[in-house]
Amino acid sequence: MPSDERPQPVWPKSSSGPGEEPPALEITSDGELVHLRESDAPDTVVTTSKAKLRAFLLGVKAGEFDHLI
C-alpha cells in the first residue's frame, strides 16, 4: 500500500442495520482521526480530528447552534 493511502477504518457493529429503524450513528477512530457514518449510508463517511470533534461537541452543549433551528 502506498504511504499516502490510509487503511480503511474498522467499524463497530451497529445495533441496527441498513434500512432498520432507527438508523444508528457509527463512530470509530484510528489515532487522531475520527470517522462518523450513519448505518443507513455506510459509504458516506465524515472524517475529522479528535480536537475538532471535541470543539464541535462543546459548542453543541453550550447552545452555540440553537439559533440555526
Side-chain angles (χ1 to χ4, degrees), residues 43-66:
D43 293 333
T44 303
V45 178
V46 175
T47 301
T48 189
S49 69
K50 287 182 179 181
K52 287 180 181 180
L53 180 59
R54 178 175 170 72
F56 172 74
L57 293 174
L58 289 172
V60 169
K61 289 178 181 180
E64 292 181 18
F65 305 102
D66 290 354

Side-chain angles (χ1 to χ4, degrees), residues 20-61:
E20 294 180 16
E21 291 293 329
L25 179 63
E26 300 171 333
I27 302 173
T28 190
S29 176
D30 61 0
E32 283 302 309
L33 294 179
V34 178
H35 311 281
L36 302 99
R37 69 180 185 182
E38 191 174 23
S39 60
D40 277 2
D43 293 333
T44 303
V45 178
V46 175
T47 301
T48 189
S49 69
K50 287 182 179 181
K52 287 180 181 180
L53 180 59
R54 178 175 170 72
F56 172 74
L57 293 174
L58 289 172
V60 169
K61 289 178 181 180

